[in-house]
Amino acid sequence: FLRNTSRKNLDCHNLTSLISLSRLDLSSNLIETIKTDSFKFKDKIFLQTLYLRNNLIRFIEKDSFKYLTNLIRFNIDNNLFENQDQIENINFGNFYSLSELSMVNSKLTKLPLFDSNSIIKNKFKLRILKLSFNQIESISALYFNLPNLSHLDLSNNRISRIDSTNVFSLTP
């Protein structure tokens, strides 16, 4: 755990030798920026859990998380994303093992994008998606077709439009 530090830019190059690292908690710091190679380790890493909640993250460089292909749990709650493009810089298409994603209270105006090819091929394992307390106004039909989704929390948003054509195509 690296909590309550004064780091503003996330650069994990000091952690590159920790190839057995499975859980990294960087919650409650002052992180504002996540750079492209922040999670590029020397050898293949088996990081399964990443917590970046309660920071000041405003900027995420494109493909910052592309090396975290084994990630199962990702929590980036309570950050200051003022530009929706920052969320789009998180390439969720690389997270084939991702089971839990939480982006609560992060000033989101749109839902995060997922790779539709991964979803169609049933490679996407997302079970829990928490997006409450944001500023989301509409939901794409794609979210009703996530094959493994069992918990979707969109409470306390500004949702005024739901694509209802696929709402009833959910399977138990």
Side-chain angles (χ1 to χ4, degrees), residues 107-144:
K107 297 191 176 191
L108 299 179
T109 57
K110 294 189 257 180
L111 293 166
L113 299 175
F114 296 107
D115 178 15
S116 58
N117 288 330
S118 299
I119 293 168
I120 292 166
K121 293 176 184 173
N122 205 18
K123 290 184 177 179
F124 211 66
K125 297 178 174 33
L126 191 66
R127 290 183 311 102
I128 299 170
L129 180 58
K130 297 178 182 177
L131 299 167
S132 59
F133 294 95
N134 281 294
Q135 299 162 11
I136 299 167
E137 295 180 358
S138 65
I139 305 171
S140 165
L142 179 64
Y143 288 87
F144 298 111

Side-chain angles (χ1 to χ4, degrees), residues 63 65-70 87-98 101 112-119 123-125:
D63 294 328
F65 303 103
K66 72 180 176 183
Y67 300 104
L68 301 179
T69 56
N70 295 309
I87 301 303
E88 293 171 7
N89 281 342
I90 303 172
N91 185 352
F92 290 101
N94 292 335
F95 295 157
Y96 294 122
S97 301
L98 190 65
L101 173 61
L113 299 175
F114 296 107
D115 178 15
S116 58
N117 288 330
S118 299
I119 293 168
K123 290 184 177 179
F124 211 66
K125 297 178 174 33

